[in-house]
Amino acid sequence: MSEEERARAVEEYSEAVGRLQHSAFRNLRTSIANVAIFFGVVSGWLILTGDAEPAALVPMSVSIVGGVLGVSTYAVRRQPFARYLLIGAVVLAVVGLAGTVIVSQVAQ
């Protein structure tokens, strides 16, 4: 194998690995946003049906805001801003879920 063929093979390999990493990170970000959206939808459904305890309304509302931020990551395509929205969605979804669990444990 000549040096030129070897350099071309290395370049093609590097491009293939870069595409794979890019698609893997995009799929991970999408999955994380979907989890935040799911928690927001479940919290919204529980609030609308009246199954939420009054003390759990605040943490569930925080989960809903996290779900809205998760949805907004689909609308925003600029990379740094979309990443900040995703981080906010995750933080709010986790805080809302933890608050809901804590309130439900205290209420029992």
Side-chain angles (χ1 to χ4, degrees):
M1 183 178 246
S2 70
E3 288 299 318
E4 184 178 299
E5 291 174 343
R6 178 183 292 253
R8 188 173 50 232
V10 168
E11 184 179 328
E12 289 174 2
Y13 177 77
S14 296
E15 288 177 7
V17 169
R19 286 190 307 268
L20 178 66
Q21 286 177 341
H22 178 72
S23 66
F25 285 131
R26 186 181 63 234
N27 291 339
L28 178 66
R29 287 190 300 264
T30 302
S31 299
I32 291 170
N34 289 341
V35 169
I37 293 167
F38 176 75
F39 287 147
V41 167
V42 169
S43 295
W45 180 258
L46 288 174
I47 289 173
L48 288 176
T49 59
D51 293 333
E53 300 172 7
L57 290 177
V58 172
M60 286 185 170
S61 299
V62 171
S63 290
I64 292 172
V65 174
V68 169
L69 288 179
V71 169
S72 67
T73 60
Y74 285 104
V76 174
R77 294 293 178 200
R78 291 189 330 212
Q79 193 52 256
F81 190 60
R83 188 173 294 142
Y84 298 146
L85 286 174
L86 184 62
I87 291 170
V90 168
V91 168
L92 291 177
V94 168
V95 168
L97 181 64
T100 303
V101 168
I102 290 170
V103 166
S104 68
Q105 293 299 319
V106 169
Q108 290 179 358

